[in-house]
Amino acid sequence: MNKKIFFALCLSVFATGGLLSFKLIKSDNSFSGPQTVKSGLTLPDGFQAAIIADNLGSARHLVATPQGDIYVHLAGTKNGKGILMLHVDGDKATLKSSFANFGGTGIAIKNGYLYASNNREVYRYKLDDKNEVINPDKPERIVTGLIDRRTHAPKAIELDNDGNLYVNIGAYSNICSEFDPNKTGCPILDSAAGIWQFKADKPNQTYGDGVRYAAGLRNVVGLAWNQQDNQLFVMQHGRDELHNLFPNLYTVHQSTELPAECMFALKKGDNAGWPYVYYDWMQQKNMLGPEYGGDGKKPADSKYINPVAAYPGHYAPDGLLFYTGNQFPEKYKNGAFIAFHGSWNRAPEPQAGYCVVFQPFKDGKPDGKWEVFADGFAGTEEQKASGHAVHRPCGLAQGPDGSLYVTDDNQGTIYKITYKKQ
């Protein structure tokens, strides 16, 4: 073999986490490869990452229990099941059970129940004192009849401390122009593009039983309840195609960087402004959208809330977690980790994202510049730039020992990130 080809192949195998040599072990229900398998991730000094499971299916959000188990929600079913329960022992995850005849994204544990969503409903399962599902074949349906128009259909969920359930209802549109030809008002805002609040213990609720908690949010996949200030935080996917739709107002470069992906701290009744508003992270202000009279310079109406933090355009934030553990250094305590799924629409610029970033917090609010925490999911630089990423981060969970779990919904990989003092 040509030496240059051999060397390039070795680099590719290393950059993709050694996946060419990775073997899925099924004889003992283990989804973990040998501990010598490299994760391929780059991390700050003192941190390590291990691949503890692979080939699971399209692994979306996940949640960890105090007993060392994790529940992983798959986007679709695999072997007829949409939720996997695995036990984590060190750098090895072993399948304990699988259940649910539906795929989806949202999953959470609260007050003795496991909650999980598909694109139209939210269910819950009663847990025993070991946080294991008691009757996996008979979940209780909590919410039904949610809008599913395929575009931005996944329903992410979160729960507060007062018995409320929050569900994202994504807008089935980029900027509502096809539903609002006269630019007089977006008619889908009454049933989409927002966060709906329901009772966490009331069965068979529909839109009429819920409350539109916050409006003007194009699509939210990452939600997390901030215990420091008892408030819901969300990550919004910003709009697309500023240059393609308005080439006289926006350059190609502006369209790749704008609008920002935004973090919002929500209170009941807040309106983030979609479709009329987008956030320009370079000018650091809300702008009036060009479809509604904007020109890249006109500011938005002040009635719309500002984000509390902003990130480059089209990174696609799919996971949000507030870190409350004690394993990581003190700087990470109560800060936010964000899983960026990665872009598809930054051409002709290289595609970007495909990473987990850390946003420092102080007193329950973002404080300081965000930083890339874990990178290398996409594989080689060529794979990343072209958008042909090997792995794409999606869900985040904190283990009982303070470890950080990250799902990848492309290859079905789960990473465990740990810290060891030097």
Side-chain angles (χ1 to χ4, degrees):
M1 180 183 289
N2 181 284
K3 290 184 178 179
K4 290 184 178 180
I5 295 176
F6 177 78
F7 182 66
L9 179 60
C10 290
L11 283 178
S12 177
V13 172
F14 175 77
T16 56
L19 289 177
L20 291 183
S21 63
F22 186 84
K23 299 294 184 182
L24 178 64
I25 301 172
K26 292 185 177 179
S27 59
D28 61 351
N29 286 329
S30 171
F31 284 85
S32 174
Q35 294 187 20
T36 56
V37 173
K38 297 182 182 297
S39 70
L41 302 186
T42 56
L43 296 156
D45 289 345
F47 287 91
Q48 302 175 57
I51 293 175
I52 63 170
D54 207 0
N55 301 312
L56 297 181
S58 186
R60 297 287 285 175
H61 287 178
L62 79 166
V63 65
T65 74
Q67 290 76 21
D69 297 323
I70 54 176
Y71 288 97
V72 183
H73 206 346
L74 307 181
T77 60
K78 185 173 183 178
N79 299 322
K81 306 300 181 183
I83 299 176
L84 307 179
M85 181 189 188
L86 299 96
H87 181 70
V88 181
D89 184 6
D91 290 345
K92 183 177 181 179
T94 304
L95 181 66
K96 293 181 68 174
S97 65
S98 59
F99 57 96
N101 61 1
F102 59 90
T105 290
I107 193 163
I109 287 179
K110 194 75 173 183
N111 297 332
Y113 286 91
L114 175 75
Y115 290 78
S117 66
N118 60 26
N119 291 349
R120 297 181 181 182
E121 293 106 5
V122 181
Y123 295 89
R124 71 174 185 175
Y125 298 82
K126 181 65 178 174
L127 300 173
D128 63 18
D129 57 2
K130 295 181 180 179
N131 282 302
E132 296 186 12
V133 172
I134 293 175
N135 194 340
D137 295 325
K138 294 183 178 180
E140 181 181 13
R141 188 168 59 185
I142 299 299
V143 183
T144 186
L146 301 176
I147 283 181
D148 176 8
R149 299 287 192 273
R150 295 189 179 182
T151 300
H152 304 151
K155 304 300 185 285
I157 62 174
E158 183 57 292
L159 295 110
D160 65 15
N161 301 315
D162 298 312
N164 296 306
L165 167 71
Y166 300 86
V167 184
N168 164 60
I169 312 295
Y172 42 98
S173 171
N174 175 39
I175 202 63
C176 201
S177 56
E178 69 270 44
F179 301 107
D180 184 19
N182 298 316
K183 311 298 185 294
T184 58
C186 181
I188 71 172
L189 290 173
D190 63 344
S191 57
I195 304 295
W196 263 252
Q197 182 191 65
F198 300 92
K199 295 297 182 183
D201 59 355
K202 182 181 178 182
N204 294 315
Q205 298 168 88
T206 62
Y207 276 111
D209 299 300
V211 174
R212 187 174 64 179
Y213 188 79
L217 292 158
R218 178 175 177 266
N219 187 38
V220 169
V221 187
L223 298 86
W225 194 262
N226 188 335
Q227 299 294 342
Q228 275 199 301
D229 59 4
N230 201 35
Q231 190 172 5
L232 181 66
F233 279 69
V234 302
M235 297 297 307
Q236 175 178 236
H237 288 229
R239 61 159 298 169
D240 298 314
E241 300 188 302
L242 284 170
H243 171 73
N244 290 345
L245 297 174
F246 297 92
N248 59 320
L249 296 178
Y250 300 92
T251 67
V252 171
H253 178 71
Q254 284 177 311
S255 195
T256 62
E257 296 291 345
L258 297 175
E261 309 286 45
C262 294
M263 175 186 286
F264 289 98
L266 299 178
K267 294 180 180 178
K268 188 175 181 179
D270 280 345
N271 191 327
W274 183 90
Y276 314 116
V277 170
Y278 71 89
Y279 190 77
D280 186 321
W281 63 270
M282 292 179 280
Q283 297 188 60
Q284 297 185 9
K285 60 183 179 181
N286 269 338
M287 310 299 294
L288 182 63
E291 288 84 358
Y292 302 93
D295 58 2
K297 299 176 183 178
K298 294 180 183 178
D301 193 309
S302 60
K303 68 181 179 181
Y304 301 119
I305 63 171
N306 285 305
V308 293
Y311 309 88
H314 315 298
Y315 272 32
D318 273 5
L320 177 63
L321 172 80
F322 288 103
Y323 185 79
T324 58
N326 297 314
Q327 182 186 134
F328 291 6
E330 185 63 26
K331 66 171 279 188
Y332 296 99
K333 192 68 172 283
N334 296 314
F337 286 104
I338 305 164
F340 284 107
H341 199 237
S343 69
W344 60 267
N345 55 349
R346 291 172 62 94
E349 301 289 336
Q351 300 303 324
Y354 317 103
C355 59
V356 174
V357 309
F358 175 71
Q359 173 65 63
F361 266 61
K362 183 178 180 180
D363 299 326
K365 295 292 183 289
D367 181 60
K369 182 173 173 55
W370 60 276
E371 60 191 56
V372 175
F373 174 75
D375 205 355
F377 294 93
T380 66
E381 285 303 313
E382 291 76 14
Q383 288 168 317
K384 180 178 181 179
S386 67
H388 295 96
V390 179
H391 303 281
R392 304 188 72 171
C394 184
L396 301 168
Q398 179 183 307
D401 63 349
S403 297
L404 179 68
Y405 297 110
V406 184
T407 62
D408 146 52
D409 66 355
N410 198 36
Q411 297 284 341
T413 303
I414 299 180
Y415 300 84
K416 181 181 180 182
I417 299 176
T418 55
Y419 178 78
K420 186 176 183 180
K421 293 181 179 179
Q422 301 298 299

